[in-house]
Amino acid sequence: MNVQNTTASAQDVVDILTTDHREMEDLLDQIQRSPNAEQRRELTDTLIAEVMRHAVAEEMYVYPTMEKRIPDGEEEAEHDREEHDEIVQVMKQLEDADADEPAFMDRVHKLDELLRHHAKDEEADQFPKLRQRISGEDLVELGKKVEKAKQMAPTRPHPSAPHSELFHKTVGPGVGMVDRLRDQLSGRMTG
């Protein structure tokens, strides 16, 4: 049995991202089970915020590490960025959609499909490669960077934003601050 320290700071990046995947899948399940449109809307807003935080943190720290440290890492990171683009487009469609409309649930199903595919790829292929090629200490350090990035990341989809480490590290925190202010003013739930 794998015994893990209960503090988030001691978790490695793979544990953190895998936990994020399970939480996103749980939110998707809750959205799809909810008969209440208002609850679906709130859960979807929370999901969007969590997916954005996760994706930005990956793009800031995980993908550059993959590019440097795993075979074919540049191609894998580029593939993941393309999947993020698809996910962001669907989330943007969901952002202002009416949770009472059938099209809303169609988009939720599409998002579910994209997110589960992306998570499966990472967990089955990329995460084992990271663990194989990077020391446990470095993975924990990378996890700390990811957690910090998630705190500063935007909470809303920005399809026109470039997927670059430099963008996320310089402009992203400002965008994230604006998003969180918008979230507060609108009463949007973001977890």
Side-chain angles (χ1 to χ4, degrees):
M1 185 161 106
N2 188 7
V3 178
Q4 295 178 6
N5 191 322
T6 56
T7 62
S9 63
Q11 288 188 314
D12 75 23
V13 69
V14 172
D15 292 331
I16 292 165
L17 297 176
T18 301
T19 297
D20 286 354
H21 292 163
R22 295 298 83 75
E23 290 171 358
M24 289 176 213
E25 290 167 357
D26 182 56
L27 283 167
L28 283 159
D29 291 342
Q30 289 179 54
I31 293 164
Q32 293 176 78
R33 283 193 314 261
S34 177
N36 179 294
E38 186 177 328
Q39 183 182 37
R40 283 193 303 271
R41 171 83 267 155
E42 288 178 12
L43 289 166
T44 300
D45 289 344
T46 300
L47 174 65
I48 289 170
E50 293 308 312
V51 171
M52 288 307 305
R53 289 180 181 125
H54 175 93
V56 166
E58 283 183 329
E59 291 178 16
M60 285 175 68
Y61 295 108
V62 179
Y63 297 165
T65 300
M66 285 171 44
E67 290 169 341
K68 293 176 193 153
R69 307 281 295 271
I70 66 172
D72 300 321
E74 290 179 10
E75 292 84 10
E76 290 196 37
E78 184 56 35
H79 174 78
D80 285 353
R81 287 183 185 104
E82 289 170 7
E83 289 184 347
H84 280 183
D85 284 341
E86 285 183 81
I87 290 166
V88 166
Q89 294 299 328
V90 174
M91 290 190 309
K92 192 64 182 167
Q93 294 170 3
L94 274 167
E95 195 173 37
D96 297 318
D98 183 343
D100 271 328
E101 296 295 319
F104 181 87
M105 288 309 294
D106 291 342
R107 291 180 184 125
V108 167
H109 293 306
K110 179 65 175 171
L111 182 59
D112 187 325
E113 175 186 317
L114 292 170
L115 285 173
R116 288 181 198 269
H117 169 80
H118 185 73
K120 183 180 175 195
D121 278 356
E122 287 182 338
E123 291 173 25
D125 186 44
Q126 296 164 357
F127 291 175
K129 288 178 185 175
L130 287 171
R131 282 220 167 114
Q132 186 178 47
R133 299 192 171 271
I134 300 173
S135 73
E137 185 177 295
D138 287 348
L139 289 173
V140 168
E141 196 56 40
L142 187 56
K144 290 177 184 177
K145 290 178 182 177
V146 162
E147 289 289 17
K148 185 174 181 183
K150 285 169 43 180
Q151 292 172 3
M152 300 299 292
T155 60
R156 294 170 182 259
H158 297 277
S160 60
H163 291 285
S164 77
E165 178 182 2
L166 180 62
F167 174 82
H168 289 307
K169 287 182 178 175
T170 57
V171 179
V175 173
M177 188 171 64
V178 170
D179 285 351
R180 285 186 292 283
L181 178 60
R182 284 179 60 203
D183 293 343
Q184 278 185 328
L185 293 173
S186 70
R188 177 179 177 187
M189 302 291 294
T190 57

